[in-house]
């Protein structure tokens, strides 16, 4: 990491030596049990622990209390799933009425019935593609439309 810093910033030999001297003067924070240090920080505070070990508070905070696991930080927040209503006779009549009044499939499926409950688009497509039922008279013959 230090090598990459020196290469990327085109430092002269004198500057590299100055960086190395400063790097060597930094006290390394080493401990065998990190959990004990975290407990001590929670009990006495960061300032006390940083003074005890001779380390900068910011360094302690970064090394002990930041989660370096990248998989948890890239997760997307969960959104509530859409729940589709069960198709019953009442809902089917309502869908037919909406279709007859010129509502499109997308507009019908956007209507919210309660919290995150919607009409299933497959049900609307099925009802849309249905042929109207033929009306049969009491004698058993199909009834013709009076406007024919």
């Amino acid at each position: 990491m230090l090598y990459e810093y020196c290469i990327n910033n085109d430092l002269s030999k004198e500057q590299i030596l100055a960086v190395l001297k400063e790097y060597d003067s930094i006290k390394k924070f080493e401990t065998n049990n990190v959990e004990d240090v975290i407990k001590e920080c929670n009990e006495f505070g960061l300032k006390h622990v940083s003074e005890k070990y001779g380390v900068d508070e910011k360094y302690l905070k970064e090394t002990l209390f930041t989660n370096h696991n990248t998989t948890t930080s890239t997760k997307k927040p969960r959104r509530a799933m859409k729940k589709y209503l069960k198709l019953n006779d009442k809902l089917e009549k309502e869908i037919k009425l909406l279709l007859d009044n010129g509502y499109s499939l997308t507009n019908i499926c956007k209507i919210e019935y309660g919290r995150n409950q919607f009409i299933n688009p497959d049900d609307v497509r099925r009802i849309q593609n249905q042929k109207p039922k033929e009306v049969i008279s009491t004698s058993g013959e199909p009834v013709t439309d009076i406007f024919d």
Side-chain angles (χ1 to χ4, degrees), residues 76-83 112 115-118:
K76 293 181 180 177
R78 275 187 75 184
R79 282 193 264 161
M81 297 284 295
K82 281 187 177 180
K83 297 175 190 169
E112 189 169 354
R115 187 180 177 125
N116 289 326
Q117 291 189 336
F118 298 90

Side-chain angles (χ1 to χ4, degrees), residues 32-85:
N32 291 334
N33 196 350
V34 178
E35 288 83 19
D36 289 340
V37 177
I38 292 174
K39 286 178 187 175
E40 197 173 345
C41 285
N42 291 334
E43 190 175 335
F44 299 109
L46 275 174
K47 188 173 185 175
H48 171 75
V49 175
S50 66
E51 288 172 2
K52 178 179 176 183
Y53 291 105
V55 182
D56 187 34
E57 283 184 51
K58 188 176 180 181
Y59 176 75
L60 253 181
K61 191 174 187 180
E62 287 174 0
T63 54
L64 296 177
F65 296 108
T66 36
N67 187 4
H68 298 290
N69 189 0
T70 57
T71 57
T72 56
S73 62
T74 58
K75 281 187 179 178
K76 293 181 180 177
R78 275 187 75 184
R79 282 193 264 161
M81 297 284 295
K82 281 187 177 180
K83 297 175 190 169
Y84 293 123
L85 297 171

Side-chain angles (χ1 to χ4, degrees), residues 96-112:
K96 285 180 183 176
L97 183 67
L98 290 169
L99 286 170
D100 290 343
N101 286 325
Y103 282 83
S104 67
L105 176 119
T106 53
N107 287 341
I108 292 172
C109 293
K110 285 181 183 177
I111 300 171
E112 189 169 354

